[in-house]
Amino acid sequence: MSYEHPLAHLIGIEGVALLRAFNGEFDRDFVDARLDEVRRLLDDHSLMEAGVTVDRLDSIAGYRSWAGTYDEPGNAAFDIEQPVVHDILDTLPMGTVLDAACGTGRHAAYLAAAGHRVIGVDSSPEMLEKARIRLPQTDLRRGDLEALPLDDDSVDAAVCALALTHLPRLDKAIAEFARVIRPGGHLVISDIHHEMVLRGSIPPVEIGGRPGRLPAYRHYAGDYLSPALASGFQLKACKEPRVLHNGPTPPPATEPGPWQTWPWSLSALVPEATQAANRETPALTVWHFQLPE
């Protein structure tokens, strides 16, 4: 269980923006505006009373709730992630590809359409049910990232998208990828960047009408690289796609919005600080590894 207070997020965003100003990215007028905005926020009694107690759910319970709306438009992470991951998948030689934590089958469908034989694995029965509707001819299996239901050396490549953030440690999952991928095979991983997790990019769900969030851990570069190299993988590429804010700063929102839209609706209360805090900050990390022949 955790306690989410809108001021905790807003003052945190202001703090990141002020740190960047302290390091020379912004001028005195920007600093003065941020300090004035912090004072205004602290004087806003409607925000002071708006804290929410939130259940921390395991991924099984969380995706059970999220499965029905997972594929609806509006998930910005998909729009950023898919072009980068597809560019890598397009280079893979034809073969058998594991979509690990396949969810409703986003990448499995893309791989199957390209002509690959696909095996999808996910721990959520509800997400797999959606995937079976989308991909009735595909081999879909229920299983865990840390104990994949596949034989040794049974696939030519694996993709794992936006899922490893749910694991506190990555060594077992990456060792499993090394076990099931044949020599010379490829591993493609996408994940929420640790900076975005720190700033609240954690999916909200409701269980029995109560606020809840999926587990989300901050993984740094070494958390992926160390187990990957120890498992024999060689690094082919690492990309950190960013969200660029090129347009004018919008006017501040007047209300924090419902809890389900936090932290994005909260950030809209302080758009200038948000754009400054997030400027050139990666949204995702995408890794491409390969096992030696």
Side-chain angles (χ1 to χ4, degrees), residues 9-20 30 33-35 37-38 40-41 269-274 277:
H9 178 80
L10 293 167
I11 301 302
I13 292 296
E14 297 281 3
V16 173
L18 284 166
L19 283 174
R20 299 185 78 153
F30 177 87
R34 299 283 65 71
L35 295 176
E37 193 163 59
V38 168
R40 176 181 63 77
L41 291 168
L269 292 169
V270 290
E272 187 175 27
T274 298

Side-chain angles (χ1 to χ4, degrees), residues 177-254:
F177 296 144
R179 178 183 68 81
V180 303
I181 296 173
R182 298 182 182 113
H186 297 257
L187 171 62
V188 182
I189 293 170
S190 70
D191 219 357
I192 303 298
H193 197 277
H194 61 82
E195 285 282 354
M196 289 296 102
V197 177
L198 179 65
R199 298 172 199 199
S201 183
I202 305 170
V205 294
E206 289 191 34
I207 303 292
R210 284 190 48 79
R213 289 201 189 267
L214 288 162
Y217 298 91
R218 297 192 301 275
H219 296 309
Y220 301 93
D223 297 328
Y224 302 91
L225 277 172
S226 293
L229 296 176
S231 296
F233 285 107
Q234 299 172 345
L235 179 62
K236 298 276 289 182
C238 176
K239 300 180 183 295
E240 294 181 308
R242 291 157 168 75
V243 179
L244 301 178
H245 300 282
N246 296 322
T249 302
T254 57

Side-chain angles (χ1 to χ4, degrees), residues 66-248:
W66 197 12
T69 58
Y70 186 79
D71 287 329
E72 290 182 358
N75 191 328
F78 293 172
D79 296 335
I80 302 168
E81 183 246 18
Q82 284 183 176
V84 181
V85 171
H86 287 180
D87 282 348
I88 301 173
L89 297 182
D90 289 345
T91 70
L92 299 182
M94 200 59 60
T96 300
V97 184
L98 165 66
D99 186 356
C102 65
T104 60
R106 279 190 311 126
H107 290 307
Y110 185 81
L111 289 160
H116 295 278
R117 175 179 178 255
V118 181
I119 301 172
V121 173
D122 202 278
S123 61
S124 167
E126 291 78 14
M127 296 291 273
L128 282 174
E129 183 179 348
K130 297 288 185 180
R132 290 191 176 100
I133 295 171
R134 175 184 278 178
L135 298 162
Q137 305 303 317
T138 298
D139 182 355
L140 299 173
R141 309 176 187 181
R142 186 176 179 190
D144 191 274
L145 287 173
E146 297 182 331
L148 293 168
L150 283 84
D151 294 333
D152 295 357
D153 300 336
S154 56
V155 298
D156 300 294
V159 58
C160 182
L162 305 179
L164 293 183
T165 188
H166 300 320
L167 301 180
R169 292 180 56 87
L170 306 184
D171 47 337
K172 289 183 179 179
I174 290 177
E176 276 293 275
F177 296 144
R179 178 183 68 81
V180 303
I181 296 173
R182 298 182 182 113
H186 297 257
L187 171 62
V188 182
I189 293 170
S190 70
D191 219 357
I192 303 298
H193 197 277
H194 61 82
E195 285 282 354
M196 289 296 102
V197 177
L198 179 65
R199 298 172 199 199
S201 183
I202 305 170
V205 294
E206 289 191 34
I207 303 292
R210 284 190 48 79
R213 289 201 189 267
L214 288 162
Y217 298 91
R218 297 192 301 275
H219 296 309
Y220 301 93
D223 297 328
Y224 302 91
L225 277 172
S226 293
L229 296 176
S231 296
F233 285 107
Q234 299 172 345
L235 179 62
K236 298 276 289 182
C238 176
K239 300 180 183 295
E240 294 181 308
R242 291 157 168 75
V243 179
L244 301 178
H245 300 282
N246 296 322

